Amino acid sequence: MALDHNTTLNSLGFAKPPSETRVVVAMSGGVDSSVVAAYLADQGYDVVGVTLQLYDHGAALAKKGACCAGIDIHDARRVAEERGFPHYVLDYENIFKDAVIDEFADSYLAGATPVPCIRCNERVKFKELLETAKDLEADCMATGHYIQRKMGPNGPELHSAEDANRDQSYFLFSTTPEQLDYLRFPLGHLPSKDATREMAAQYGLAVADKPDSQDICFVPDGNYASVIEKLRPGAAEPGEIVHSDGRVLGSHDGVIHYTIGQRRGLGIGGLSEPIYVVKLDVDKKQVVVGPKELLATRTIPVREINWLGDEPFTSRKEWHLKVKVRSTRPPREAIIRPLTDTTAEVELLTPEEGISPGQACVFYASEGSRIFGGGWIWRGY
């Protein structure tokens, strides 16, 4: 859209008054998305709040009184009522189960360490919900994620949040250029979570002091294995704990109870050196353990790459960038060698420990805050 020089853009980047700019806000019921909705409503935008019902906690945990999802919907609806904008609850339980929970269970059973929050953003929030926002004739969709969208010479770019402690770029690497064009992240530039809570207090939101959610939403107590067993009965089949040198050291109650890099809780004593889980062999029902140096990895096969660079991914033989292989670790220098448009081999300049299939490998600029996308770590066979 060509603009004349007299036209000023509103804070969401549109050449019209806020009152004529419709924005769908994805509201989880937490403080972040509630602040986004209140802030945009306060600026005079035509705000529509949407909350997704993704799962039934009672069913997920097979116990009564665990309906946190109901509380979250109530909190989101209350914010909408107090700030005077419409609010809808959409039942996405079937979509969520098909797109996120089933794959989580299957990849966990295959010995991987999945990150379902990324799949949820990719397949549910930024796909299904984004289409719904367009159906509602919204100009854009806003979320409470801590990440920044900045306009570059070639269009919108994805950048890390101002507050490195809150940055959610690892979970949003699969955002496509088309989605990025439509999305807005009003909190990404804030210096800290405290600033968000202060805004919530200013708007008088009841959720101002609501604690952050820590666990995966459908595993609220952090017990992955119990959820997997309910989703896939018989998954926890016993087997052997085997040393990398071939010795059988003991037995286990199911591969799903272990993760790569785990040291505690193996139930094996009397060894001269500390041992770690270095491999999960689902087919043989074996948990393979060994010394720490076996965890160090330098070369990582990556697939399903979403590339956010200005030039085509395969236009170079090598990309010298930084990569993050776990959400809690800082980006490290790496060389990314494209194999196809969506696959690559990543060489870490310094080996990392505990890299597991199922985790994401996210690409960052060597200097500055730009994110160049990323892909999924797999075994390479």
Side-chain angles (χ1 to χ4, degrees), residues 297-357:
T297 306
R298 186 183 284 279
T299 306
I300 313 170
V302 178
R303 63 183 174 186
E304 284 186 73
I305 288 169
N306 177 53
W307 177 246
L308 294 174
D310 298 327
E311 308 158 46
F313 185 50
T314 51
S315 64
R316 297 189 199 177
K317 284 196 164 53
E318 292 184 349
W319 293 91
H320 290 252
L321 296 168
K322 288 185 174 179
V323 301
K324 220 181 198 190
V325 291
R326 272 225 167 106
S327 62
T328 51
R329 294 187 187 173
R332 304 278 173 87
E333 297 285 343
I335 300 168
I336 300 162
R337 298 186 177 93
L339 300 173
T340 68
D341 288 338
T342 57
T343 60
E345 189 173 89
V346 176
E347 181 189 341
L348 302 173
L349 300 194
T350 310
E352 285 249 16
E353 292 173 353
I355 292 172
S356 172

